[in-house]
Amino acid sequence: RRPGAAGRMEEGAEEEEGGGGRRAAASPATSARFVRCLYAVGFLDLFGVSLVVPLMNLHIKSLGASHTVAGIIGSLYGVMQLFSSTFVGCWSDVVGRRYSLLACIFLSALGYFLLGNSTTVFLFAISRVPVGIFKHTLSISKALLSDLVSERDRPLVMGHFNAASSVGFILGPVVGGYLAEFEGGFYQTSFICASIFLLNGGLVWMLPWSEENTSNRDHYQDKRTNSFSAKSNHDLHLKSASSGAVTNSSVFQSPWIQVATVLKKIKGIACSNLWDVLLVRFLMSVAILLYYSNFTLALEERFGMKPLFAGYLTSYSSALGVLAGCLLGPITRLYGHNTYRLLLHSSTFTCMLVLLYASALRIWMVILSSTFLAFSTTIGRTCIIDLELTVGGNEASGTLLGVGQSVTSVGRIIAPLLAGIAQEFSPCGPPSLAVGLALVAIVIMHANKQKYHSHGSGNLKSQ
């Protein structure tokens, strides 16, 4: 964390005192080590998942399932994610990041291990249950990142985390497709995925949690000694307590107490003033999902392009998304760390690019829209997460991220239905509908712009 002018003066005083300065200096180094390890966690998570996911439809059909049964199982997974994401995210606020993250990783590994033994459709469906409920490792990792870094650095760190995860998602399907060529390839790939999750759990277990706890406590005590404001002390205490690095008795509480605490936190989020941010996230998520929903089919119907071309274009966009995550630092500095304004502009740019794709007459227009859409969607996704955490408060970051993921899950359930209806009218129907939804989101952001400006730096980090 980079201190301000007062913080630099305080560090100078601590260096003169000796031990206090050394303790305060330990916290940024430890946090940086945590952040780098969490980048590896995000990479391994999506690398393992993307080994298996592209092969699942082929496997369940090879077990004798019909298209309808395969679709029902896929929908059930989405429904489980919808209801579990908020609860698991809030649970991580209650028991700490360490225990919740380890539980999600190991139980997800169990699900993929069962998937590697799925010789019937029933066993395949059973294997999706633990994954559907507990596959929230990325959300908890983002909550932990939010605890470890300052609000000013959060968009940059989140962008790098998304970039590292995206690299795993790009490499995974290539490796999984190669392994699937062998006899029993799907089962071997599932076991490898489970092993990667176990490796990820070991990495999380070996993180220097106690050292991070000591650094946070010493830093907190030094700030109190040097008469920092009560709000700064309170915020720092919340970060230290919620990071999961603190070993507390919450994890050993009665399950009923934990459930009651979780429900209380969820009620607090439901009664908060986050409705506009969550509505914007929902509308933009559905709009982007509509854009991708019939992408391969639309390219074939509109321009005569083969599915292979659509695959190359999707991989190209994913690679550009990684680059966009790395460029978030300079972009946020260009905007003076004003997250709301950056979100408004990126959403407007996304709407224009989807409109360009919907009205494209030549394939080069599609390539142009896909190129810049990779940047605008990556920036917008990071900004909306950062805005949720800023407005909602870090003391409930796990709950906020869980609620946001639930909102996106609703979009994943609704978008295919809307795409199918719009597709009946025209191949350009889904992206045209996406433009309309994005325009509604932009109007909502414009209508509430003054509300966020009135809060000043507290919500927009424009200090």
Side-chain angles (χ1 to χ4, degrees):
R1 302 183 183 93
R2 296 297 302 167
R8 287 192 292 271
M9 293 174 59
E10 181 188 4
E11 285 183 352
E14 288 172 343
E15 287 173 358
E16 293 178 359
E17 292 173 5
R22 287 190 296 272
R23 288 193 303 269
S27 182
T30 307
S31 296
R33 182 164 50 187
F34 255 78
V35 168
R36 288 193 295 270
C37 289
L38 287 174
Y39 291 163
V41 169
F43 168 80
L44 289 173
D45 184 278
L46 279 192
F47 177 73
V49 169
S50 60
L51 286 174
V52 176
V53 169
L55 309 175
M56 290 179 61
N57 282 339
L58 292 175
H59 177 66
I60 191 171
K61 289 178 183 176
S62 69
L63 297 177
S66 64
H67 292 284
T68 303
V69 172
I72 291 174
I73 293 177
S75 298
L76 288 176
Y77 173 80
V79 172
M80 285 187 289
Q81 286 273 294
L82 168 63
F83 289 102
S84 64
S85 56
T86 301
F87 192 88
V88 172
C90 189
W91 182 59
S92 73
D93 290 326
V94 175
V95 303
R97 308 284 183 238
R98 181 183 189 181
Y99 303 104
S100 57
L101 185 55
L102 286 172
C104 286
I105 289 175
F106 289 129
L107 288 169
S108 296
L110 173 63
Y112 287 111
F113 177 79
L114 294 174
L115 188 65
N117 289 280
S118 58
T119 55
T120 65
V121 175
F122 177 75
L123 291 176
F124 183 94
I126 292 296
S127 70
R128 302 302 289 157
V129 173
V131 180
I133 297 175
F134 292 101
K135 179 57 185 73
H136 301 292
T137 50
L138 293 181
S139 294
I140 298 177
S141 297
K142 289 177 182 178
L144 181 53
L145 283 173
S146 174
D147 298 332
L148 292 172
V149 302
S150 66
E151 288 189 2
R152 194 177 186 87
D153 295 331
R154 188 166 57 203
L156 171 64
V157 173
M158 290 291 185
H160 288 173
F161 179 81
N162 289 334
S165 303
S166 298
V167 171
F169 198 78
I170 293 171
L171 297 178
V174 178
V175 178
Y178 173 76
L179 295 174
E181 296 294 326
F182 297 97
E183 184 178 357
F186 178 81
Y187 299 105
Q188 295 176 11
T189 305
S190 298
F191 287 130
I192 291 174
C193 177
S195 301
I196 290 174
F197 270 78
L198 292 176
L199 175 64
N200 226 0
L203 177 61
V204 172
W205 181 270
M206 291 187 295
L207 285 173
W209 299 97
S210 58
E211 183 179 347
E212 171 69 8
N213 180 30
T214 302
S215 299
N216 281 340
R217 283 203 309 267
D218 290 339
H219 199 46
Y220 170 57
Q221 291 169 357
D222 288 336
K223 283 187 177 292
R224 291 195 64 175
T225 303
N226 287 277
S227 302
F228 253 51
S229 68
K231 184 180 185 301
S232 298
N233 291 331
H234 178 63
D235 290 343
L236 188 61
H237 174 69
L238 287 173
K239 280 199 170 193
S240 177
S242 64
S243 67
V246 181
T247 303
N248 53 51
S249 59
S250 296
V251 72
F252 302 112
Q253 288 178 350
S254 165
W256 298 111
I257 297 178
Q258 293 184 23
V259 169
T261 306
V262 166
L263 293 176
K264 183 178 180 181
K265 282 179 171 288
I266 293 174
K267 179 182 178 182
I269 296 297
C271 299
S272 68
N273 61 346
L274 278 170
W275 69 268
D276 54 334
V277 179
L278 295 176
L279 181 57
V280 167
R281 175 168 184 162
F282 171 75
L283 291 171
M284 293 305 300
S285 297
V286 175
I288 295 168
L289 289 167
L290 285 171
Y291 170 84
Y292 287 109
S293 61
N294 71 332
F295 192 70
T296 302
L297 180 61
L299 288 183
E300 184 175 358
E301 292 183 357
R302 295 172 63 187
F303 305 102
M305 294 296 167
K306 299 298 182 183
L308 182 62
F309 176 82
Y312 283 138
L313 189 56
T314 302
S315 298
Y316 166 72
S317 300
S318 299
L320 290 178
V322 174
L323 178 61
C326 297
L327 293 177
L328 264 169
I331 294 173
T332 53
R333 286 193 294 270
L334 179 65
Y335 274 79
H337 299 272
N338 191 326
T339 305
Y340 196 82
R341 187 158 61 96
L342 180 56
L343 175 63
L344 177 60
H345 290 176
S346 66
S347 300
T348 304
F349 194 37
T350 297
C351 181
M352 294 170 59
L353 291 170
V354 177
L355 178 61
L356 175 63
Y357 165 71
S359 58
L361 300 177
R362 298 287 186 273
I363 191 63
W364 68 265
M365 300 174 71
V366 177
I367 297 175
L368 181 65
S369 66
S370 297
T371 299
F372 290 101
L373 196 65
F375 286 88
S376 64
T377 54
T378 300
I379 293 170
R381 183 169 61 248
T382 304
C383 286
I384 196 69
I385 292 175
D386 182 65
L387 194 62
E388 288 175 9
L389 294 172
T390 302
V391 177
N394 279 333
E395 67 273 17
S397 55
T399 309
L400 292 166
L401 290 171
V403 170
Q405 188 172 339
S406 293
V407 169
T408 304
S409 297
V410 174
R412 290 195 185 102
I413 295 172
I414 293 177
L417 176 62
L418 294 178
I421 296 174
Q423 185 78 21
E424 295 291 338
F425 297 94
S426 168
C428 299
S432 300
L433 180 58
V435 171
L437 295 177
L439 283 174
V440 174
I442 293 168
V443 169
I444 292 173
M445 281 188 278
H446 270 292
N448 290 275
K449 185 166 59 174
Q450 191 61 36
K451 162 187 166 183
Y452 289 97
H453 280 308
S454 66
H455 286 284
S457 62
N459 279 345
L460 295 180
K461 309 181 296 306
S462 57
Q463 67 271 19

